[in-house]
Amino acid sequence: MKPTAHLLGVDWGTSNLRVMRIADGGRVLDSRSDPRGAGGLTPDQFHDVLRDVAGDWLNEGLPVLVSGMAGARGRWREMAYLPCPAGVADLAGAIASPDDAPGVRLVPGVAAFEDDRLQDVMRGEETQVLGLDLQDDAVVVGPGTHSKWIRTAQGRITGFRTFMTGELFAAIRKGTILGGGMGEPGVDDDAFAAGVARALKDPAVTAALFSVRVEGLAGRLSPASAADYLSGLLIGAEVAAQLDTRERPILLIGAEPLCARYASALAQADFHDVRISDGAAATALGLWRIHEAVSR
Amino acid sequence: MKPTAHLLGVDWGTSNLRVMRIADGGRVLDSRSDPRGAGGLTPDQFHDVLRDVAGDWLNEGLPVLVSGMAGARGRWREMAYLPCPAGVADLAGAIASPDDAPGVRLVPGVAAFEDDRLQDVMRGEETQVLGLDLQDDAVVVGPGTHSKWIRTAQGRITGFRTFMTGELFAAIRKGTILGGGMGEPGVDDDAFAAGVARALKDPAVTAALFSVRVEGLAGRLSPASAADYLSGLLIGAEVAAQLDTRERPILLIGAEPLCARYASALAQADFHDVRISDGAAATALGLWRIHEAVSR
């Protein structure tokens, strides 16, 4: 017997959209992706895009729950950032609908404060984290454009920190002399490890970056391997700033090759308990859990 | 009586060229600038460009001494990097001429080593530093695209470190979300100071950068002031990595508004003895001193 969908879950990122038919329990039955991310849409376009991508699924009459950047300022409807600690019940208690789509509900973001000052923000990762099966005091690491290190306790998000690793990597390749003649990353694990080692030894990132050039001049780094070294430097800087989480269980979520790179950098820095988890499944399960908490 | 020129000095940077008629003692009598920097020239073009910019001065038959990127790999003639410690006599002992211009002499670069490994390089700054009147154990700071912190002792360069501050600032503005809607720097000293304070408190630059966005979201930073905050973050990161030079005399050389910004960041970090010096005059005097040491 074919399982029935109970929820239409939407993960609306800045540059990508993913719609999922979700079964009872949070399993994904079908999913579709579309490049119309929230970053390029005005408030009045969201409903049309969603109907365009998944009109047939909307017609099934399922409840709809949306996480991510659709709730950012200037997008479908601005949703608040809930302060940490934040768990499933907190998010469920703060969902709201856009004016033009009362049947659609948006998940709020989460904010980290320090002495009552806003310190950091996330939209989308909170849903993903709450869809993981978290060990006690686990730290969830989501590599990418804006990497996030998210601390949890008793199944709630207690604090987090954003590193602009992926975006800096791209901007440095494109906009500085270091990018000249640089190959693609992912070809030289030793160069990556050398970059990580350098970053772990040297906290001054803006100085360490110049070593990409010096290593090249010294004949120790070929242009083909330079992107891996640079990637190691930036990921290593992230790891170096989070060494105080070394004794905690680390859960990596994201694209597989990048997670593997992070796992290798974490091993280099003597992190012992590191696992890689399926990010898409976690998002679906997070949406399901929030949906269930709302319905209850 | 009009003083006579004794040296034609050339400061050939990556993106700019400066030719100076220099009097006995190192004073600049006349100078000309040209945008044909070494970064865009092939080896056979340098002599023509120099003749084009200062053919009349070359015809005076003066000795010619060139510092900077004309000696970089793939440029007029590749000059070695001399190891630290390096002073006027060391540089004078290693000058050499390009094959196509036996009357022209190039100043070598200087390299910093650590455990026999090449750690950092400079071309041009060495000449400038050696043209300063250095106090004992002074540290010369040259802000810019690639900022340099250069340690000296007894009039020689003993070590140095390059920070990609200016180039990163440009790449981040142009290539990341932080640059969206960002104004020009130089308008908000308080935002600059806030960026410096943040960097002094937080060594994780790639995380601190995200605070440009968070401060904006929190309404604490306007788009018009964001460039100053970002500039403060990056300059502050440089200062934070050099706190161990706090008790030494600091000499800033470079463009005046930028030097003033550095002076303010250094004051914020409790540096006590900071002066600003004229970079162009220092280059001329450095070239003169090297020329004199060669002639001796």
Side-chain angles (χ1 to χ4, degrees):
Chain A
M1 198 182 79
K2 210 181 159 198
T4 321
H6 282 72
L7 174 68
L8 202 62
V10 182
D11 178 12
W12 215 315
T14 298
S15 53
N16 195 57
L17 161 68
R18 196 152 164 280
V19 188
M20 299 165 276
R21 286 176 76 245
I22 298 173
D24 192 17
R27 192 161 61 84
V28 177
L29 300 173
D30 313 281
S31 79
R32 292 178 190 157
S33 287
D34 192 274
R36 282 171 282 184
L41 300 179
T42 53
D44 57 317
Q45 295 177 310
F46 282 82
H47 205 182
D48 287 344
V49 169
L50 186 57
R51 275 192 287 243
D52 196 34
V53 173
D56 51 338
W57 293 354
L58 286 170
N59 288 339
E60 293 178 27
L62 297 174
V64 182
L65 190 59
V66 182
S67 68
M69 297 302 288
R73 188 176 296 173
R75 302 308 163 190
W76 203 349
R77 173 206 164 123
E78 185 173 356
M79 299 293 293
Y81 293 107
L82 297 190
C84 292
V88 168
D90 306 295
L91 295 176
I95 63 162
S97 299
D99 289 340
D100 65 344
V104 169
R105 299 158 305 160
L106 307 185
V107 176
V110 172
F113 287 83
E114 203 178 289
D115 303 331
D116 289 333
R117 275 176 70 94
L118 181 66
Q119 284 295 321
D120 213 330
V121 293
M122 62 167 74
R123 287 199 187 278
E125 294 89 349
E126 72 298 320
T127 302
Q128 199 166 34
V129 168
L130 296 172
L132 293 165
D133 293 313
L134 298 164
Q135 291 172 262
D136 271 356
D137 297 325
V139 176
V140 180
V141 181
T145 309
H146 295 169
S147 281
K148 285 187 153 64
W149 289 64
I150 303 161
R151 291 165 190 242
T152 69
Q154 295 166 325
R156 296 169 90 196
I157 295 167
T158 55
F160 60 95
R161 194 142 201 231
T162 303
F163 294 81
M164 295 193 56
T165 306
E167 200 172 16
L168 268 179
F169 178 75
I172 289 167
R173 284 189 72 183
K174 198 173 171 185
T176 76
I177 54 153
L178 302 185
M182 193 177 262
E184 292 298 315
V187 300
D188 186 340
D189 290 341
D190 291 339
F192 177 79
V196 172
R198 170 74 193 230
L200 290 174
K201 201 180 67 177
D202 182 357
V205 178
T206 65
L209 284 173
F210 196 65
S211 72
V212 179
R213 183 163 168 81
V214 173
E215 293 297 298
L217 283 171
R220 295 188 295 253
L221 183 66
S222 72
S225 301
D228 285 315
Y229 179 81
L230 173 61
S231 168
L233 267 183
L234 292 172
I235 292 173
E238 208 180 310
V239 172
Q242 294 289 330
L243 289 180
D244 60 334
T245 64
R246 191 150 41 177
E247 303 307 323
R248 300 173 67 165
I250 305 286
L251 212 49
L252 284 162
I253 45 171
E256 164 55 37
L258 196 55
C259 282
R261 277 276 161 106
Y262 270 71
S264 132
L266 288 165
Q268 232 177 301
D270 293 327
F271 282 70
H272 301 294
D273 182 359
V274 177
R275 286 178 301 145
I276 297 179
S277 208
D278 180 343
T283 300
L285 191 49
L287 286 166
W288 176 255
R289 286 174 176 168
I290 295 165
H291 165 70
E292 273 204 314
V294 174
S295 314
R296 211 176 285 139
Chain B
M1 195 182 82
K2 211 181 159 196
T4 321
H6 282 73
L7 174 68
L8 203 61
V10 183
D11 177 14
W12 215 316
T14 298
S15 53
N16 196 57
L17 161 68
R18 196 151 165 281
V19 188
M20 299 163 277
R21 286 175 76 245
I22 298 172
D24 193 15
R27 193 161 62 86
V28 178
L29 300 174
D30 312 281
S31 78
R32 292 178 191 159
S33 286
D34 192 274
R36 281 170 282 184
L41 300 179
T42 54
D44 57 318
Q45 295 176 310
F46 282 82
H47 206 183
D48 288 343
V49 169
L50 186 57
R51 275 191 288 241
D52 196 33
V53 173
D56 51 340
W57 293 353
L58 286 169
N59 288 340
E60 293 179 26
L62 299 174
V64 182
L65 190 59
V66 182
S67 67
M69 299 301 288
R73 187 175 298 171
R75 304 306 164 190
W76 203 350
R77 174 206 164 123
E78 184 172 355
M79 298 293 293
Y81 294 106
L82 297 190
C84 293
V88 168
D90 307 293
L91 294 175
I95 63 161
S97 299
D99 289 341
D100 64 346
V104 170
R105 298 158 306 159
L106 307 185
V107 177
V110 172
F113 288 82
E114 202 179 288
D115 304 331
D116 289 334
R117 275 176 70 94
L118 181 66
Q119 284 295 321
D120 213 329
V121 293
M122 62 166 75
R123 286 198 187 279
E125 294 89 349
E126 72 297 320
T127 301
Q128 199 165 32
V129 168
L130 297 172
L132 293 165
D133 292 315
L134 297 164
Q135 293 171 261
D136 270 357
D137 297 326
V139 176
V140 180
V141 181
T145 308
H146 295 170
S147 280
K148 285 187 153 64
W149 289 64
I150 304 161
R151 293 165 190 242
T152 69
Q154 295 164 329
R156 297 169 89 195
I157 295 167
T158 56
F160 60 95
R161 196 144 198 229
T162 303
F163 295 81
M164 295 193 56
T165 305
E167 199 172 15
L168 267 180
F169 178 75
I172 288 168
R173 284 189 73 183
K174 198 173 169 186
T176 76
I177 53 153
L178 303 186
M182 191 177 264
E184 292 298 315
V187 298
D188 186 340
D189 290 342
D190 291 340
F192 177 79
V196 172
R198 169 74 191 230
L200 291 174
K201 202 180 68 175
D202 183 355
V205 178
T206 66
L209 283 174
F210 195 65
S211 71
V212 179
R213 183 163 170 79
V214 173
E215 293 297 298
L217 284 170
R220 294 188 295 254
L221 183 65
S222 72
S225 301
D228 285 316
Y229 180 81
L230 174 61
S231 168
L233 267 183
L234 292 172
I235 292 173
E238 210 180 307
V239 172
Q242 295 289 331
L243 289 181
D244 60 334
T245 63
R246 190 149 41 175
E247 303 307 322
R248 300 173 67 167
I250 306 287
L251 213 50
L252 285 162
I253 45 171
E256 164 55 35
L258 196 56
C259 282
R261 277 278 162 106
Y262 270 72
S264 133
L266 288 165
Q268 232 177 302
D270 293 326
F271 283 69
H272 302 294
D273 182 359
V274 178
R275 286 179 300 145
I276 297 180
S277 208
D278 181 344
T283 300
L285 191 49
L287 286 167
W288 175 256
R289 286 173 176 170
I290 295 165
H291 165 71
E292 272 204 316
V294 174
S295 314
R296 213 174 282 139

